[in-house]
Amino acid sequence: MLYVLGYISNETQDTYYSLDTANAIFLFQKEQGILFHSNEVGSGVFGPKTRVAFNNALYEHYVEPAILSAAVSQKTVSSNNS
């Protein structure tokens, strides 16, 4: 999911928690305002605050566009039936 959100490249994407994964998580934390420096406690760790922010980001990435698309489709159908 870090790849989907643009925090890790396809080349560095792996199936284990590597240094690349920790760096990607820190970049996410920094952009979300959770942490500001890589030497802070919790940097690169997928803790509770990061999980909430990550879930919100995934919602915005997947669900909100689907809701908007469905609303536009419904409006188009309604307009065509009028």
Side-chain angles (χ1 to χ4, degrees), residues 65-80:
I67 290 171
L68 291 174
S69 178
V72 168
S73 294
Q74 183 64 30
K75 185 174 182 181
T76 303
V77 169
S78 296
S79 296
N80 290 338

Side-chain angles (χ1 to χ4, degrees), residues 31-46:
E31 284 188 10
Q32 297 295 315
I34 298 166
L35 296 173
F36 300 99
H37 302 286
S38 61
N39 62 347
E40 289 182 73
V41 173
S43 173
V45 176
F46 201 80

Side-chain angles (χ1 to χ4, degrees), residues 14-56:
D14 50 38
T15 58
Y16 59 94
Y17 196 91
S18 66
L19 183 57
D20 290 327
T21 306
N23 288 335
I25 290 173
F26 170 67
L27 288 175
F28 176 79
Q29 291 169 324
K30 189 173 181 180
E31 284 188 10
Q32 297 295 315
I34 298 166
L35 296 173
F36 300 99
H37 302 286
S38 61
N39 62 347
E40 289 182 73
V41 173
S43 173
V45 176
F46 201 80
K49 290 180 184 177
T50 302
R51 180 178 307 277
V52 168
F54 195 73
N55 287 340
N56 290 338

